[in-house]
């Protein structure tokens, strides 16, 4: 295995960055500052100034005030601002991609893909002006019922480190399109890319206070969850925190949809196409250095799949750090993964490919690097096969039948994604019908639905009902008001009169 210098892929800033909060249309900085380091080389990229809890209240008040006017802006006018935002995102796609890559450690090409997905959600939100036109019907003589889609008020999005552009954009365009004001509390590990989004939203011409950013960590999340004028919280992050934010917000009468972690199963059967399966499996567990909630991390080999396993190990061993795979978010992640690999060895699995032995790219020793690692002969009860590790580590569990594979998938506490690799349509259908995850892939290792198909898992991968994008997002960020009207003067009275 080789490694190469990633600077040919990621532009580092010439001056130090400083991430501020955006409150009432003004960038504000707090007294405290903490440094943000590059996952690539450990060098300080810039600093973050978390907002105070008092500023949380100021941001909510400004968002509440802005909401009153914004909700009255016709949807077509709101959409034209979103379209302008789209133009700016496309103009600055390289800037956004480099920003996301350098602060969370992924490759620029991966970061660019996340910006494109962000734009896709925005396009869906703009399309609502033509598709989400309510409904109306004469339900009785002279009586008409209609739906009116209404915003719900000040809405909040709390987002994780691994997609600094895309995950906020799962929420922002839909929440704004339906007429809410929106406060983003980005991960305190990746505060810079959300600021670029904020700058573009200002440039697009959105009224002040309609979109805000609050920088910081746990205290701000709790203050937002407790604030009486926050109507809804969308959260994406790890399961324990998703569960706690969901409980805190809903116990205070708020609407909440909290997406959590994952342990995704890649089921492979002997009739799978060798190349399709091995490429798909490797791309799934190594893409974004395994730091994706859709990353496959358990390969369930049904029967004799030795050739495919050999190809998986061979393909993964060719991955060049810095060229084909980025870095882990921080040193803690690197240490957590190393100890998980050691634990798996103690539990009895064998290390088929050891990413710990691969040196960092030349000149990037200060970064957080781990090459693809494969743990073979894992058992479904082992931690490596059931706990979310969130890195480029694949555990292989061998079973005899497809039903055993599905039983293992069903027993998982997570339910984000499950994939099947096969050339048999009946097998594919059987898995799609019987797997418990919210997103199923057939010969695809990362089955992220494209808009308008909505994104969301099951079990501990999601607390709350509905999905975060597509029509699920529209329902989550709005109310349907039902208006029943009678104007006609009737002689024949009925039960609705
Ligand atoms: P995280 O749970 O540590 O952080 C998520 C957000 O919560 C951040 O904004 C963070 O500042 C905030 N936070 C952290 N600790 C908190 C606390 N104690 N109380 C309240 N808020 C707190 O997640 P992460 O490490 O940034 O991201 C990785 C995780 O996110 C993985 O588990 C991954 O599977 C998950 N994820 C899930 C999806 C999905 O769609 N289901 C998508 C992306 C990431």
């Amino acid at each position: 295995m080789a490694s190469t210098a990633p600077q040919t892929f990621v532009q580092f800033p010439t001056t130090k960055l400083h991430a501020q909060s955006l409150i009432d249309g003004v960038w504000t900085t707090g007294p405290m500052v903490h440094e943000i380091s590059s996952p690539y080389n450990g060098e300080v990229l810039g600093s973050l100034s978390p907002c105070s809890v008092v500023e949380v209240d100021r941001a909510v008040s400004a968002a509440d005030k802005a909401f009153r006017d914004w909700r009255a802006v016709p949807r077509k006018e709101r959409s034209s601002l979103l379209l302008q935002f789209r133009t700016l995102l496309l103009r600055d796609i390289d800037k956004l991609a480099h920003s996301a890559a350098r602060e969370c450690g992924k490759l620029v090409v991966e970061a660019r893909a996340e910006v494109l997905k962000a734009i896709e959600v925005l396009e869906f939100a703009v399309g609502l002006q033509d598709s989400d036109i309510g409904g109306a019907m004469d339900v009785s003589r002279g009586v008409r019922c209609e739906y009116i889609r209404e915003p719900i008020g000040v809405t909040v999005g709390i987002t994780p480190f691994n997609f600094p552009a895309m995950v906020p954009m799962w929420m922002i365009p839909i929440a704004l399109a339906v007429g809410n004001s929106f406060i983003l509390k980005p991960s305190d590990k990746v505060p810079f890319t959300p600021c670029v989004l904020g700058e573009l939203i200002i440039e697009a011409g959105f009224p002040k206070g309609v979109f805000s950013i609050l920088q910081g960590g746990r205290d701000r999340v709790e203050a937002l969850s407790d604030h009486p004028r926050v109507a809804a919280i969308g959260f994406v992050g790890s399961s324990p925190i998703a569960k706690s934010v969901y409980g805190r917000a809903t116990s205070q009468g708020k609407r909440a949809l909290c997406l959590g972690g994952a342990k995704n199963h890649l089921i492979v059967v002997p009739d799978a196409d060798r190349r399709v399966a091995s490429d798909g499996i490797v791309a799934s567990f190594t893409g974004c250095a395994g730091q994706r909630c859709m990353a496959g991390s358990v390969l369930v080999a049904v029967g004799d799949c030795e050739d495919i396993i050999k190809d998986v190990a061979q393909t993964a061993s060719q991955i060049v750090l810095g060229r084909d795979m980025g870095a882990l978010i921080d040193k803690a992640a690197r240490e957590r993964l190393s100890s998980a690999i050691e634990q798996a060895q103690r539990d009895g699995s064998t290390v088929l490919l050891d990413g710990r032995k691969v040196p960092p790219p030349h000149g990037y020793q200060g970064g957080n690097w781990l090459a693809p690692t494969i743990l073979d002969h894992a058992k479904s009860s082992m931690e490596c096969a059931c706990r979310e590790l969130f890195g480029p580590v694949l555990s292989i569990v061998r079973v005899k039948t497809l039903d055993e594979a599905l039983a293992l998938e069903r027993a998982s506490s997570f339910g984000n994604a499950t994939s099947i690799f096969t050339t048999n349509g009946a097998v594919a259908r059987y898995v799609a019908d019987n797997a418990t995850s919210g997103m199923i892939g057939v010969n695809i290792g990362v089955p992220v639905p494209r808009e308008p198909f909505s994104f969301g898992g099951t079990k501990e991968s999601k607390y709350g009902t509905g999905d975060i994008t597509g029509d699920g997002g529209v329902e989550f960020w709005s109310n349907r008001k039902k208006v029943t009207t009678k104007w006609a003067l009737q002689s024949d009275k009925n039960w609705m009169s």
Side-chain angles (χ1 to χ4, degrees), residues 195-215:
C195 291
V196 181
L197 292 177
E199 282 160 10
L200 298 184
I201 287 176
I202 293 172
E203 189 181 343
F206 284 81
K208 65 178 187 158
V210 164
F211 176 76
S212 314
I213 301 175
L214 292 179
Q215 301 284 6

Side-chain angles (χ1 to χ4, degrees), residues 158-162 170 185-188 217-218 221 235-238 241 259-262 293 388 390 416 455 461:
I158 298 154
T159 53
F161 79 80
N162 61 330
W170 281 353
K185 205 303 285 168
S187 164
D188 44 353
R218 177 181 182 159
V221 175
F235 173 95
V236 181
S238 57
I241 302 189
L259 274 54
C293 66
E388 182 178 46
F390 219 54
N416 232 28
F455 186 100
S461 296

